[in-house]
Amino acid sequence: MAEIQSSAPAGRGTKPRRKKMSTRIDMTPMVDLAFLLLTFFILTASFNKPTVMELAMPDGKGPQTPVSEKGALTLILGKSGQVHYFFGLNTEAEPATLHTTTFGSDGLRQVLLQRQRQQPAPTVLIKSVQDAKYRDLVDALDEMTITDQQKYALVNLSAADKKLLEKNSL
């Protein structure tokens, strides 16, 4: 607690002097309280859990699943945040018509929702060029979750797809 110490100076003269008092405050209870509060807040705090995207990848040992030409939508993740897409499968004999959009809510999301309305349960094939960023792949997978796509796959870029990109880059 607090202590008051009084000290009276030696008497000089006849006039009575006021006693000088000095105070000493004991800081122990305040420090105890601070540590108790600190301990309480640390123990009751909840830490942010990292959000994880669950993605089940096949081991590659099973049979290949055929994709129908009619129900396919192919996305090609390009450089600088562009998404190239076409409906169906691209072959060298029958090249597809390439369209370009972005990852905005009025871009890829609208393409996916429109395809779902036209073709129930479409299969989305996600391909990536060498210059694409990892962030673009995560954004594409997020869009699959947001639009509730049931079937999608990460696929390697074929030679026909590379030719289609080169032809449309001019």
Side-chain angles (χ1 to χ4, degrees), residues 6-71:
S6 64
S7 62
R12 251 184 359 180
T14 60
K15 187 175 182 190
R17 291 220 175 218
R18 215 166 207 241
K19 292 183 181 179
K20 289 189 179 178
M21 306 236 189
S22 68
T23 58
R24 182 178 158 272
I25 299 174
D26 186 12
M27 299 295 285
T28 307
M30 190 175 80
V31 172
D32 287 345
L33 181 65
F35 278 108
L36 283 172
L37 286 173
L38 182 67
T39 305
F40 172 76
F41 286 120
I42 287 175
L43 293 177
T44 59
S46 62
F47 297 103
N48 288 341
K49 294 184 172 100
T51 55
V52 178
M53 180 186 313
E54 291 187 29
L55 184 64
M57 297 293 286
D59 58 3
K61 296 178 183 174
Q64 298 243 346
T65 306
V67 177
S68 71
E69 170 84 26
K70 183 181 172 190

Side-chain angles (χ1 to χ4, degrees), residues 123-160:
T123 302
V124 181
L125 303 174
I126 303 172
K127 301 178 180 186
S128 178
V129 298
Q130 199 69 13
D131 297 334
K133 296 191 188 295
Y134 182 72
R135 173 98 182 140
D136 295 342
L137 179 64
V138 171
D139 288 344
L141 292 174
D142 282 343
E143 291 297 329
M144 297 299 127
T145 305
I146 291 169
T147 58
D148 197 29
Q149 297 294 324
Q150 298 300 317
K151 293 185 202 176
Y152 55 92
L154 303 174
V155 184
N156 291 330
L157 200 63
S158 67

